[in-house]
Amino acid sequence: MTPLDAPLNDASGDDAPLDDVPAADAPTCSAKGCRDNAAWVLAWNNPKLHTPERRKTWLACEEHREHLSQFLGVRGFLKDVVKLDEWEAPEGSQRP
């Protein structure tokens, strides 16, 4: 059984707070192995592959925002970092 399939309340009485359990349909962080809810959109573009207006996106939780931003930034790919609830995808971009 995967963690997302596990029941919230098991027989041991260990009740996980609902705030700590990602919703099944909530966007999750793009960091490898992270299943936390995303809070940030990192818009990026590889100029060798994409037209200048194209924006691809990674999602990040609070913990991984800086790490993912630096990864894209050192490559010259990072274009914008926006709170998830404020993100408006430009026309021609990939949805988060």
Side-chain angles (χ1 to χ4, degrees), residues 3-67:
L4 291 179
D5 296 330
L8 293 179
N9 299 320
D10 63 14
S12 69
D14 183 22
D15 298 331
L18 292 179
D19 292 344
D20 293 345
V21 179
D25 59 346
T28 57
C29 181
S30 298
K32 184 176 181 177
C34 184
R35 306 298 286 169
D36 289 344
N37 289 337
W40 296 91
V41 175
L42 285 64
W44 62 277
N45 170 309
N46 180 341
K48 292 181 180 180
L49 302 175
H50 307 121
T51 59
E53 66 279 354
R54 174 81 187 269
R55 293 293 180 267
K56 295 191 58 93
T57 56
W58 281 356
L59 301 178
C61 64
E62 291 292 340
E63 181 181 346
H64 292 112
R65 179 181 61 92
E66 187 63 32
H67 171 74

